[in-house]
Structures are given as structure tokens and as C-alpha cells.
Amino acid sequence: MDQTLSADAGPGFRKILIYCLVAYLASRGALTLIGVAAQTFILPLLPPGSYRWHEGVAPWLDVWGAWDSGWFTGIVEGGYMTTPITEPASD
């Protein structure tokens, strides 16, 4: 018997699919709101130069790539660290 997913999989499958889709969209929405709030209220409190932030045309979209983009830009500019960090950073 073929167990492939199809449009006629039944109402149980559709309920599960809708539940997963709603949960995914709700979590992305909540994380986007948290990111925009952090960008709006916390970012201005940080000293300039203590973070990497690429500002694009859509702040709500920028929160999804801001920190990882800074990490990867640092790797491109300076390469990978060759020694492990054993001490906390001193300010």
C-alpha cells in the first residue's frame, strides 16, 4: 500500500498541517516583534562600534540577518580565530 502524502490524505492530516503552519507563523511573528523591539529600544543604548548592524530598507526584515551577518562579515574580514578563547573579554 502506497503511503505517499496526497491531497486526499484526510481531515486529520489537514488539521495537523494547519496547526503546524499556524504555530510556525505565530513563532516567526513573535520573534520578529521581539527583534524589532530590541532594535528600536536596546540598540540605541549600546556604545557605537560594539555591534555590527546592517541597516536595510525594512527594519522588520533586518532583524533576521543582523547578528549572523555581522559574524560572517567578521570572518570574511579577519578570518577564523586560530586560538581558543579561554578568558572572558575585558572592556
Side-chain angles (χ1 to χ4, degrees), residues 4-87:
T4 59
L5 298 177
S6 65
D8 61 342
F13 176 75
R14 287 189 193 101
K15 278 184 166 180
I16 292 171
L17 185 63
I18 290 170
Y19 175 81
C20 291
L21 183 62
V22 168
Y24 174 78
L25 293 174
S27 68
R28 299 305 102 182
L31 290 173
T32 300
L33 289 174
I34 291 168
V36 169
Q39 183 181 10
T40 303
F41 300 112
I42 296 174
L43 196 61
L45 302 176
L46 298 176
S50 65
Y51 57 87
R52 293 178 182 259
W53 191 274
H54 170 74
E55 292 190 28
V57 294
W60 64 271
L61 191 56
D62 290 343
V63 300
W64 287 105
W67 302 114
D68 286 346
S69 298
W71 174 261
F72 292 125
T73 301
I75 292 171
V76 169
E77 291 173 349
Y80 284 101
M81 292 183 60
T82 58
T83 57
I85 299 173
T86 58
E87 301 283 330

